[in-house]
Amino acid sequence: MEDLPERKFRPPKPLQEVRAGFTILGDEILGYQPMQRRNKVMHGETIIVGFRVFVKVDGVNPIKVAMGSEIGDAAALAYHHLPEEKKNDVGRSAARYITLSPAEFSKVIGVAWIAGATRSDRLPPTWVWVALGSDSTKAHIMTRPTLRQWIGTRLADKYIDSFFVERDIVPEWAAIGYTTDPGNDSRYLSLTYPAPRQVLSARYDLRPRVQDNRAQNSAGRDTGMDELSRKFDRLMEFMIEERKEVRQERREQNDLLMRLLPASPK
């Protein structure tokens, strides 16, 4: 019996004392996002129910997203209590990036997503760490929709996709094997790992109902109609998915405008 090759394990990082700006494993916190909800007791007030934290890690993809409880509640709170100029609130920065010129975008440094959140009809919540040409004081981390609004939907998705390809990273939505966007291959900026697209169910059967008894007498005509129906199915599926993307882009733009508008006086 042949000896199995020895497997090399990287020793785990030791737990460390709490330091503001670092996790309990000593990794640097790049930014965070307080998770808030409305206070049912105090009308108009919000309360913080948790934190989403972005951590710098070793490897080809240098960023991960984790809940505050995962990196250590004490570490998350210590970061939250830092002075404003020493912490990076990712949620508050979103509107700022949209006002910048797309020419300020330099490259994608890392991509983080919530593991296990991929669905058959959509990507998981995703954040992108980017480099700007004029500012490197803080880590510039934004959601995929924000990056899309800033430099364009197709271009943003292409930059993210190229990041994965260049580093031999297979994202979760590609590894699962869901049906993908049927129009991807025909696009100029086609993706190696396109977004999942849910297959139309039977209740969306949009094939034309042809009632022609004479057609049953010709096998060739039946074959032709079947092929026409399949092409029609593919065309309608493509059009529906395109409309979904347009509606999603409009919602993202409306959300952005609402954030940019000044708050109404009380």
Side-chain angles (χ1 to χ4, degrees):
M1 182 176 178
E2 296 182 359
D3 294 333
L4 295 176
E6 182 181 354
R7 298 181 63 184
K8 296 182 179 180
F9 293 94
R10 184 167 56 183
K13 292 183 177 180
L15 297 177
Q16 301 183 9
E17 294 184 0
V18 174
R19 292 183 296 155
F22 296 87
T23 72
I24 56 174
L25 295 180
D27 293 317
E28 179 184 355
I29 297 176
L30 297 170
Y32 85 135
Q33 189 173 11
M35 302 173 65
Q36 301 177 337
R37 71 179 182 187
R38 292 182 179 179
N39 191 328
K40 296 181 179 180
V41 178
M42 302 294 293
H43 181 70
E45 299 291 332
T46 59
I47 57 175
I48 295 177
V49 295
F51 301 100
R52 185 174 285 122
V53 184
F54 303 91
V55 182
K56 184 178 182 181
V57 296
D58 298 329
V60 292
N61 189 6
I63 183 174
K64 283 190 176 182
V65 57
M67 295 301 295
S69 57
E70 187 177 352
I71 69 148
D73 289 325
L77 285 171
Y79 187 84
H80 176 63
H81 289 139
L82 283 173
E84 291 295 328
E85 66 274 10
K86 293 186 177 181
K87 61 185 178 183
N88 184 17
D89 189 333
V90 172
R92 290 185 179 180
S93 303
R96 169 178 173 261
Y97 296 122
I98 310 302
T99 62
L100 297 177
S101 167
E104 288 290 320
F105 174 85
S106 178
K107 65 178 180 178
V108 172
I109 300 175
V111 182
W113 63 89
I114 297 180
T118 299
R119 297 293 179 265
S120 61
D121 60 345
R122 62 182 180 274
L123 293 163
T126 305
W127 292 264
V128 190
W129 180 11
V130 307
L132 299 186
S134 61
D135 184 5
S136 59
T137 56
K138 289 185 178 181
H140 300 287
I141 302 169
M142 63 195 70
T143 63
R144 181 192 287 262
T146 298
L147 183 61
R148 284 173 167 177
Q149 293 169 10
W150 179 23
I151 66 174
T153 296
R154 304 295 185 200
L155 192 57
D157 288 348
K158 187 62 177 179
Y159 272 114
I160 295 172
D161 189 73
S162 297
F163 173 84
F164 292 137
V165 173
E166 292 168 3
R167 290 159 180 76
D168 292 325
I169 299 171
V170 179
E172 179 181 278
W173 50 95
I176 293 176
Y178 285 130
T179 301
T180 57
D181 182 0
N184 176 67
D185 292 342
S186 64
R187 295 193 179 102
Y188 178 66
L189 293 179
S190 60
L191 307 178
T192 301
Y193 303 117
R197 288 290 185 268
Q198 190 171 27
V199 178
L200 292 176
S201 61
R203 63 192 181 95
Y204 292 115
D205 187 2
L206 301 176
R207 288 178 295 180
R209 301 294 190 255
V210 180
Q211 301 294 335
D212 188 350
N213 293 330
R214 291 174 299 177
Q216 302 301 321
N217 298 325
S218 173
R221 184 175 299 177
D222 290 343
T223 302
M225 289 303 300
D226 288 343
E227 179 63 21
L228 180 61
S229 295
R230 284 192 291 270
K231 290 182 178 179
F232 186 78
D233 281 346
R234 290 195 292 270
L235 176 61
M236 293 305 299
E237 183 175 347
F238 176 75
M239 292 176 63
I240 289 172
E241 293 302 331
E242 284 291 312
R243 289 180 180 180
K244 284 183 179 179
E245 290 189 0
V246 170
R247 288 196 296 267
Q248 178 63 26
E249 289 179 17
R250 286 177 178 173
R251 284 196 294 267
E252 293 170 356
Q253 291 172 357
N254 289 336
D255 290 343
L256 172 63
L257 289 174
M258 292 300 295
R259 292 197 301 268
L260 292 176
L261 287 174
S264 57
K266 295 182 179 180

